[in-house]
Amino acid sequence: MESLDTLRDLAERVGKAKFSAERAALWLVKIPLLGTAAAESEKTEKQLQYKTQHVSLNLRSTEAAFARMGWAVEVKKRPGKPFPERITIGRAPNGDVVLRFGYISKLHAYFQVTEQGEMFLHDHNSANGTAANGTALMSGAPVRIQAGDVLEFGALRVQVMSAANLYDRLRADDWK
């Protein structure tokens, strides 16, 4: 997970061609929330189930604050990780796309890429659900995903972007 500021600095240094070539094809991007959207996000976050006990008493407030910030994570298979046919999404550190929030299941969902290059998202019986473009996913019923889609993992809402589109948005500077 990288902050949008870090990615913006990288984009300025390397340019669009290199940024796009050296990064994964797709990204999950958390656009920063401001004002009313931030308050709504925090209210929704408080309604979710938490199945893990946390050592830190302030973890939920820290999670809520971080969830409102802008960041991005590449959708790619990490070398040496389990489930070679899947790109896993979850809280567990041995996953491919790690989202360290209490309302994200250890193995929350996963992407499956076909031989034709199509990407499908599957919910993995997550406690707080997975949605694509506002429609809840049922376990065992995958949905095709492409750049521009909006995904929800519990209260976490992200947009799927191509590396080129992410570069353009970072350079447009409209997330500050």
Side-chain angles (χ1 to χ4, degrees), residues 21-165:
E22 293 181 358
R23 298 301 189 149
L26 292 180
W27 289 73
L28 299 182
V29 181
K30 176 67 177 98
I31 299 169
L33 297 177
L34 304 171
T36 306
E40 285 298 314
S41 173
E42 190 165 342
K43 183 170 63 173
T44 303
E45 187 267 341
K46 288 177 181 176
Q47 297 169 351
L48 295 174
Q49 299 174 23
Y50 285 83
K51 293 190 175 186
T52 302
Q53 292 182 343
H54 299 292
V55 176
S56 169
L57 296 176
N58 295 323
L59 186 57
R60 283 189 183 177
S61 62
T62 302
E63 285 177 358
F66 189 73
R68 287 190 299 270
M69 294 171 43
W71 49 262
V73 62
E74 294 176 282
V75 177
K76 67 178 184 179
K77 187 70 189 168
R78 306 278 185 232
K81 298 296 180 185
F83 309 111
E85 74 285 359
R86 304 175 181 175
I87 300 172
T88 61
I89 304 160
R91 183 178 81 239
N94 66 336
D96 299 307
V97 177
V98 179
L99 303 172
R100 301 289 299 195
F101 303 105
Y103 51 85
I104 302 290
S105 298
K106 289 179 183 177
L107 177 53
H108 195 98
Y110 61 92
F111 290 107
Q112 194 163 26
V113 182
T114 67
E115 290 179 10
Q116 296 77 26
E118 294 179 312
M119 185 173 285
F120 288 86
L121 178 63
H122 300 252
D123 181 70
H124 190 74
N125 293 319
S126 61
N128 291 308
T130 304
N133 299 317
T135 303
L137 274 65
M138 301 301 294
S139 188
V143 64
R144 186 172 181 258
I145 298 300
Q146 57 192 6
D149 289 345
V150 175
L151 307 179
E152 297 172 47
F153 303 100
L156 181 62
R157 188 176 177 159
V158 296
Q159 184 173 11
V160 179
M161 288 188 182
S162 68
N165 186 253

Side-chain angles (χ1 to χ4, degrees), residues 7-18:
L7 289 170
R8 187 177 293 111
D9 291 344
L10 176 66
E12 286 178 16
R13 284 194 321 271
V14 301
K16 186 173 185 174
K18 188 171 182 177

